[in-house]
Amino acid sequence: ESFDSQDRQLLAIDYQNYLESFYNQVKVSTNSDWQDRITVHLIDNDPESVWQSDRVLWVDKTTTINLSLVKIEEINRVIWINGFPNNTPTDYSIEVSVNGTDWKQVKHVNNFRRINGVEPNIESFDSVPAKYIRFIIRDTAGDSPAIAEMWVVPTRFESLDIEEINTYLANPFIKVASENQYMQILHALQRTGTAQLFWMTDKSPL
């Protein structure tokens, strides 16, 4: 579905607001990192910064990323952006818990590949309540795993295409059809946005 309807436009903006809250409130930990490629880079909303697990400890072939949400959420997607092609996770699983003690595996992937670029990798699964999420990596395309970003998507956004959202949010007023719709979107955006200014001059070229 496109973002022609006002309901979907507002849902996309709600997702954007959720992401801002996620990055401000989520807690992350790993069992190692490498030099300046530190754990916090996983949740800094910057795909140019990367976390990498310790290259020496990676001999044991297991490392874990732990996310702790501020509250229990119904979730059905975990999204991550790869760091470098040779560091692509190829064998990994996702587990969730509501109490940090009892865990349920919701996804397992074993697929050799080298991922280029910063396109999001979307791991979908059946909706499940979770406060704690762990991403367990057992093998990669070569070196120790490196991931640039990781976030969790609540089930209430399951109708949204993550990649299409970014296109819409780059210009959320493009499909506005009325003043009322404009005001609702402006309110949802907390009255912030990007403006482009154009002007004309009466000066003639020499």
Side-chain angles (χ1 to χ4, degrees):
E1 286 187 63
S2 67
F3 291 94
D4 290 329
S5 76
Q6 183 172 322
D7 286 346
R8 286 183 60 75
Q9 292 169 4
L10 294 175
L11 187 63
I13 294 169
D14 187 27
Y15 173 75
Q16 177 178 256
N17 293 336
Y18 158 77
L19 270 187
E20 291 178 5
S21 175
F22 171 85
Y23 281 118
N24 287 332
Q25 297 178 329
V26 69
K27 295 180 180 178
V28 63
S29 65
T30 62
N31 49 0
S32 72
D33 44 37
W34 180 251
Q35 298 179 357
D36 61 343
R37 296 174 181 169
I38 56 177
T39 299
V40 73
H41 288 169
L42 286 161
I43 56 165
D44 63 359
N45 199 17
D46 178 6
E48 297 299 319
S49 68
V50 173
W51 161 81
Q52 183 178 358
S53 72
D54 189 293
R55 299 178 71 191
V56 176
L57 296 178
W58 179 242
V59 173
D60 294 332
K61 292 286 185 180
T62 299
T63 194
T64 303
I65 299 168
N66 305 287
L67 298 176
S68 176
L69 307 180
V70 70
K71 63 179 181 179
I72 296 174
E73 291 262 18
E74 287 283 338
I75 67 171
N76 68 348
R77 282 179 285 186
V78 170
I79 302 179
W80 56 281
I81 295 176
N82 195 47
F84 312 105
N86 200 45
N87 306 75
T88 304
T90 57
D91 183 355
Y92 54 91
S93 59
I94 299 171
E95 298 181 355
V96 301
S97 174
V98 295
N99 57 18
T101 302
D102 304 306
W103 294 89
K104 176 182 180 181
Q105 179 175 291
V106 294
K107 187 75 177 276
H108 176 237
V109 174
N110 191 350
N111 179 24
F112 187 89
R113 55 187 173 157
R114 287 185 169 88
I115 299 175
N116 293 289
V118 294
E119 292 77 18
N121 299 280
I122 302 172
E123 309 294 350
S124 300
F125 42 85
D126 291 337
S127 181
V128 62
K131 186 176 189 294
Y132 305 96
I133 300 95
R134 60 188 185 191
F135 192 94
I136 305 169
I137 305 170
R138 299 179 180 85
D139 207 354
T140 69
D143 206 343
S144 65
I147 295 178
E149 292 294 312
M150 182 173 288
W151 67 97
V152 175
V153 181
T155 307
R156 66 182 183 272
F157 300 115
E158 65 181 342
S159 66
L160 297 178
D161 183 293
I162 299 302
E163 297 185 66
E164 288 182 359
I165 288 175
N166 293 330
T167 301
Y168 165 71
L169 290 174
N171 193 351
F173 296 102
I174 195 169
K175 295 181 179 291
V176 167
S178 68
E179 181 180 353
N180 179 62
Q181 186 178 4
Y182 171 81
M183 293 305 297
Q184 288 203 29
I185 291 175
L186 187 64
H187 177 74
L189 289 168
Q190 302 173 16
R191 299 186 178 273
T192 61
T194 301
Q196 290 182 302
L197 301 178
F198 301 89
W199 64 92
M200 298 181 65
T201 176
D202 60 358
K203 292 183 177 180
S204 301
L206 296 176

